Amino acid sequence: MSVTFGVLAEHNDKRVALVPKNVEKLVGMGATVLVEHSAGQNAGFADEMYQQAGATGATQEDLLTKADILLSIYPPERERLAKFPAGKILVSQFRPYFDEDVVSYLQQHQLQAFSLDMIPRSTLAQRMDVLSSMASIAGYQAVLAAARLLPRFFPMMITAAGSIKPAKVLIIGAGVAGLQAIATAKRLGAIVEAFDVRAAAREEVQSLGARFVEVEGAKDDATAGGYAVEQTEEFKKKQAALIQEHARQADVVITTAQVRGRKAPILVEADTVGQMRPGSVIVDLAASTGGNCALTQDEKTIVHEGVTILGHSDLAKEMPQNASELFSNNLFNFLELLVKEGELFIDESNEIVSSTLITK
Ligand code: NAD
């Protein structure tokens, strides 16, 4: 029997998990695709576009009763999940590292779940890596958000009324989001510096024209799958002192540092914020895992002694059209692993399949 996918409308998010281009490809592979009414509306993908791509419009009830595999960016709330019959499949981002209850809840309801945030960081899996796609957008958005909040220009300006110095931007964590933030801040004309604990980041930072700030003695584990590892107490002290010195000079600090499966490291202490110039801006992209700044409040913008601290990890949602397109491309590349000749085929010997399958 041909497999039926259901694309859920997200609640509180303008993005959609699958865009019409990829619906067309799934239909071409022999699958049926149901799309909840208005699911893509806020991202610029009208219901008619889905119909033209071969999807069938559906109510939420239809989706929950007829789909074999439900697709969404965020896991559906428990209320909706409770209506999804046992034995069916969900593909979403469940964050099992942070939501301890999710696996037992899904198991209790006998639902199989693939968590896209568990995709391994291998060359083969790169085309399915939703975390990287969204991080890249978030890095870009972080700079735009900072530029809007900063009471100064980013570029140097020479005008008849006087000259303006370029803004100084400090990026902490030069991974996917950090590198995109560096590139964006450079394009806007700022002077950019960046920190990271992975040795590989140095060359990438320098190739974007930014200055790499080195803290000696970082622990860098090549077997950690591209992820950073927890640092020693001695390193943390040295790093905190250097970050304080550089943050004091910066107009904007963008923090992106994450350690997989752990709370984000605190790298900008309250005391450091107190020493920054009034009007400066901190954008903390690690807010959802505790934040890199001690004062960050997740999903909130606060002002502390004149410094604005924006705590938002999911800034990709601010650019719903491109974010949906990239997410959908990643998702389609992943779904190709699960469908053979229009039918469901779960090959657990495939590393990408087994790493993402969090309940079965
Ligand atoms: P991430 O979101 O886990 O962390 C962001 C950055 O914070 C990383 O560069 C990390 O080294 C840094 N960081 C962590 N602790 C820090 C600390 N105490 N001080 C300073 N910086 C700290 O990582 P990411 O951005 O997703 O990716 C990191 C690397 O992995 C990149 O080089 C990326 O290209 C690579 N990657 C590869 C694949 C793939 O091959 N499929 C996929 C994703 C990422």
Side-chain angles (χ1 to χ4, degrees):
M1 261 253 300
S2 94
V3 60
T4 300
F5 290 100
V7 181
L8 277 175
E10 301 290 322
H11 290 174
N12 310 316
D13 197 309
K14 292 180 176 169
R15 289 171 293 179
V16 61
L18 204 67
V19 304
K21 183 185 91 176
N22 297 117
V23 167
E24 197 171 348
K25 289 186 184 170
L26 282 177
V27 171
M29 286 162 63
T32 302
V33 184
L34 306 176
V35 179
E36 189 173 342
H37 297 308
S38 303
Q41 192 70 42
N42 293 327
F45 304 101
D47 287 349
E48 302 76 62
M49 294 162 79
Y50 281 101
Q51 274 155 28
Q52 277 162 18
T56 307
T59 61
Q60 183 180 293
E61 294 307 307
D62 276 345
L63 276 190
L64 296 171
T65 47
K66 295 183 186 152
D68 302 309
I69 307 188
L70 274 189
L71 309 174
S72 60
I73 289 180
Y74 291 115
E77 309 78 10
R78 305 260 153 122
E79 211 176 69
R80 284 196 283 176
L81 272 186
K83 296 184 195 153
F84 195 44
K88 301 278 184 102
I89 298 176
L90 296 148
V91 182
S92 191
Q93 302 179 95
F94 292 93
R95 304 201 334 149
Y97 273 124
F98 297 104
D99 185 353
E100 289 169 6
D101 301 337
V102 72
V103 171
S104 57
Y105 180 86
L106 293 166
Q107 261 162 354
Q108 237 173 39
H109 289 75
Q110 295 176 37
L111 294 168
Q112 287 200 74
F114 289 96
S115 196
L116 293 171
D117 50 335
M118 300 296 286
I119 288 200
R121 286 179 169 183
S122 60
T123 311
L124 218 62
Q126 217 159 3
R127 49 207 285 276
M128 308 169 199
D129 188 355
V130 293
L131 288 185
S132 289
S133 304
M134 296 305 109
S136 176
I137 297 177
Y140 171 82
Q141 284 288 337
V143 174
L144 299 190
R148 271 194 301 269
L149 289 165
L150 191 73
R152 302 179 50 83
F153 276 115
F154 259 46
M156 181 177 79
M157 289 276 171
I158 297 174
T159 78
S163 38
I164 306 264
K165 285 189 192 148
K168 283 191 179 161
V169 177
L170 173 66
I171 313 273
I172 304 179
V176 180
L179 291 174
Q180 189 58 250
I182 293 173
T184 309
K186 287 291 295 180
R187 277 184 218 120
L188 283 179
I191 294 175
V192 186
E193 297 185 318
F195 271 96
D196 204 298
V197 284
R198 288 177 307 105
R202 165 197 279 274
E203 223 173 279
E204 292 170 324
V205 166
Q206 289 172 342
S207 73
L208 289 170
R211 181 166 169 258
F212 188 70
V213 185
E214 185 126 29
V215 190
E216 276 173 23
K219 240 194 331 177
D220 186 9
D221 185 352
T223 62
Y227 289 102
V229 292
E230 182 80 13
Q231 299 297 314
T232 62
E233 286 308 313
E234 191 195 343
F235 177 87
K236 284 184 195 166
K237 270 195 204 132
K238 261 200 275 179
Q239 189 185 29
L242 207 57
I243 285 178
Q244 184 164 103
E245 191 185 315
H246 286 259
R248 266 205 308 252
Q249 315 290 329
D251 297 293
V252 171
V253 178
I254 295 176
T255 68
T256 76
Q258 305 268 6
V259 179
R260 195 189 200 204
R262 288 172 180 261
K263 192 179 166 299
I266 297 286
L267 301 170
V268 182
E269 303 286 354
D271 181 36
T272 303
V273 179
Q275 294 189 33
M276 288 175 68
R277 279 194 293 265
S280 307
V281 178
I282 298 174
V283 181
D284 193 341
L285 289 182
S288 70
T289 54
N292 292 140
C293 172
L295 300 173
T296 295
Q297 291 182 28
D298 191 22
E299 310 251 320
K300 290 210 169 91
T301 301
I302 59 159
V303 179
H304 177 83
E305 295 181 19
V307 178
T308 304
I309 306 171
L310 191 152
H312 275 285
S313 294
D314 217 358
L315 285 179
K317 65 161 66 158
E318 307 289 329
M319 225 170 76
Q321 194 164 59
N322 281 162
S324 300
E325 283 165 346
L326 295 182
F327 189 99
S328 172
N329 287 343
N330 291 144
L331 177 57
F332 172 77
N333 293 336
F334 176 75
L335 295 177
E336 270 188 313
L337 296 179
L338 305 185
V339 181
K340 284 254 152 36
E341 289 162 16
E343 291 186 28
L344 190 61
F345 173 74
I346 299 178
D347 173 11
E348 285 187 53
S349 68
N350 181 310
E351 194 212 345
I352 303 171
V353 172
S354 60
S355 319
T356 47
L357 186 58
I358 57 165
T359 59
K360 54 178 174 172

